[in-house]
Amino acid sequence: MITAIPGKLNSCHDCKDISCAAAVLKISELELVNMNSLENEVKKGDIILHEGSMTSHIIYLKTGLVKEFIRQPNGREQILQIVKQHTYLGLPSLFSDRINHYSYAALENSHICYIDINVFNRLIRQNGEFAQQILISVCKDSLNNFNRFIKQSHKKIYGRVADAILYFSGIVFENDRFDLPFSQREFADLIGLSRESTTRVLIKFKNEGIISIKGKSITINNPDLLEQISLKG
Amino acid sequence: MITAIPGKLNSCHDCKDISCAAAVLKISELELVNMNSLENEVKKGDIILHEGSMTSHIIYLKTGLVKEFIRQPNGREQILQIVKQHTYLGLPSLFSDRINHYSYAALENSHICYIDINVFNRLIRQNGEFAQQILISVCKDSLNNFNRFIKQSHKKIYGRVADAILYFSGIVFENDRFDLPFSQREFADLIGLSRESTTRVLIKFKNEGIISIKGKSITINNPDLLEQISLKG
DNA sequence: AAATAAATGTGATAATTATCACAAACCATA
DNA sequence: TATGGTTTGTGATAATTATCACATTTATTT
């Protein structure tokens, strides 16, 4: 039996944002316990969801890091975004045709929860606060993603690589120094460029002192200049 | 006073889809009358919303045709989608930062309604069915849009022009013959190509007999071939 | 209907990026 | 530490698309 929980939303301890999925989850967490939702550990490289498959459960990324991607007709992978913990995977699909449009693979060992679709839907209908928070979460996510994509689309390779570095630094890892969680091949897939072009730009940035590269580790030395390059297009 | 309306959703008479915003509106229509929502007529070319402005009302496109667009840093316009009647404009913005991320301009004389944000939000909280339908509508729309964009992004100019023609034929006008609601300059903006390249491809398609062009009117003679070109990338 | 402005067509050229081919560096593991 | 595999670096070249410049057509205004 599901009972609507009075509309008290807490903010997520990590990001202090009441629209963060972690905060949203607080309502459903009670339900999850009741419903015996499955919790699972996935290893780095594991595929969590396949594009084209039916949505049978909602998947909540409790801890870890995941890439969202599709396969382009030419066979190449297109990475759409890096998904951080406290996020539902592919929520929009649930509310459209219930087919997963994207694939998800773990970039690190991660913890995920499977939540029953019907529980979720009942919660939404019975609890307006919950519905509103999910709406906010979905809208923010899709807007951010779409905007990032649109802005990239007309930029030259320098601007695009700069964007990608700033994306990892700012949005994914929130740190000027970070380890690329995959190869340059995949980095190129995220940006939508050839591997060679991507490498060349990275080396150019390195030679100009804007960034430092040691193995998979990237350090931004001059964020302002990177921003400038990104803006210039 | 807003009262929750028992969850009976009708399908839209036009598109027979209960997730169509027209169906969703049925619930709020009653409210709209109560709240004295403003109805307005806009002329072809009028700008309905400016990117960057605050969301003060929700705008519902009752009749007409509208383009959603942004201005790229290089000054060029990027048309994101063509919005048909029975659609809320920029709904995702309402649920994120309440700033309109895109601009909207009328491609034909159109009728729009202004709905108070608070009415909308109260409806969502008080009526789970309504919330769910809005969620569905937002998710479908953003998925479709994003997918269209991603699929385009790696295609060559032929595939992209083919896509755009199929988009107008299938999604916007639902007819093999349609009038471009704007110039080829704007058509190019929608596709994200230069005007000259776009023109050249159109002429190529025309010379190959795949389409016919008379002024602004385009007729698709060979939809299968167009599909093929789109798929080939 | 003439004049003016706007949109479209087209060749030549330049800029950008992908592709190919292979060398060098790095990594895992026997 | 040798060895095979993968990833990264780099030059040369080809493919694709934008840009420029201008002719031609079409639309709008007086």
Side-chain angles (χ1 to χ4, degrees), chain A residues 72 78 101 125 147 154, chain B residues 72 78 101 129 132 147 154:
Chain A
Q72 294 277 10
Q78 166 75 56
H101 290 224
R125 287 184 184 224
N147 286 342
H154 282 293
Chain B
Q72 295 278 10
Q78 167 75 57
H101 289 223
E129 296 266 352
Q132 199 180 27
N147 287 341
H154 282 294

Side-chain angles (χ1 to χ4, degrees), chain B residues 1-231:
Chain B
M1 198 66 237
I2 295 177
T3 47
I5 294 131
K8 284 237 184 78
L9 290 173
N10 305 299
S11 59
C12 166
H13 355 242
D14 295 329
C15 57
K16 315 291 182 210
D17 182 353
I18 67 151
S19 74
C20 166
V24 172
L25 191 70
K26 289 219 171 53
I27 289 180
S28 64
E29 259 169 351
L30 298 173
E31 306 303 332
L32 290 181
V33 177
N34 288 345
M35 300 303 289
N36 249 334
S37 82
L38 288 165
E39 189 168 334
N40 205 354
E41 208 181 322
V42 289
K43 296 229 180 80
K44 181 176 171 175
D46 284 355
I47 292 188
I48 298 169
L49 271 179
H50 265 291
E51 65 184 297
S53 62
M54 288 295 291
T55 305
S56 58
H57 286 82
I58 290 165
I59 295 181
Y60 178 74
L61 180 62
K62 213 170 171 187
T63 68
L65 203 66
V66 165
K67 68 173 175 181
E68 177 183 87
F69 66 100
I70 56 170
R71 200 152 293 282
Q72 295 278 10
N74 61 12
R76 267 177 57 188
E77 205 174 76
Q78 167 75 57
I79 297 179
L80 303 174
Q81 65 168 149
I82 307 300
V83 181
K84 293 196 294 183
Q85 58 181 203
H86 299 172
T87 312
Y88 297 101
L89 305 186
L91 213 39
S93 295
L94 169 68
F95 300 111
S96 61
D97 50 12
R98 295 215 175 170
I99 290 171
N100 296 306
H101 289 223
Y102 313 126
S103 298
Y104 295 85
L107 295 170
E108 306 172 348
N109 296 340
S110 305
H111 278 269
I112 59 178
C113 297
Y114 294 94
I115 306 170
D116 190 90
I117 286 179
N118 299 315
V119 173
F120 211 79
N121 270 326
R122 260 181 287 170
L123 261 172
I124 284 173
R125 287 182 184 223
Q126 296 187 347
N127 189 326
E129 296 266 352
F130 181 73
Q132 199 180 27
Q133 293 303 327
I134 291 288
L135 241 174
I136 289 172
S137 152
V138 167
C139 287
K140 277 197 172 176
D141 195 61
S142 73
L143 263 184
N144 285 339
N145 240 323
F146 195 40
N147 287 341
R148 209 160 42 77
F149 221 82
I150 292 165
K151 281 186 190 135
Q152 279 231 2
S153 64
H154 282 294
K155 286 184 182 169
K156 306 243 172 349
I157 53 173
Y158 309 103
R160 296 178 73 154
V161 175
D163 274 354
I165 295 171
L166 290 168
Y167 172 64
F168 275 105
S169 155
I171 294 169
V172 182
F173 294 114
E174 299 173 10
N175 198 322
D176 270 0
R177 196 199 148 287
F178 58 88
D179 287 350
L180 269 192
F182 41 49
S183 69
Q184 279 186 27
R185 153 90 272 154
E186 280 173 299
F187 190 60
D189 289 337
L190 177 75
I191 307 170
L193 299 176
S194 70
R195 181 196 56 88
E196 295 91 330
S197 296
T198 305
T199 302
R200 279 187 245 264
V201 175
L202 283 174
I203 290 170
K204 184 169 179 285
F205 286 172
K206 186 175 118 185
N207 290 339
E208 288 168 351
I210 302 171
I211 60 172
S212 306
I213 306 178
K214 264 199 227 95
K216 295 218 167 312
S217 167
I218 293 182
T219 310
I220 300 181
N221 303 321
N222 194 335
D224 295 342
L225 203 45
L226 260 193
E227 279 284 0
Q228 235 175 283
I229 291 169
S230 157
L231 284 175

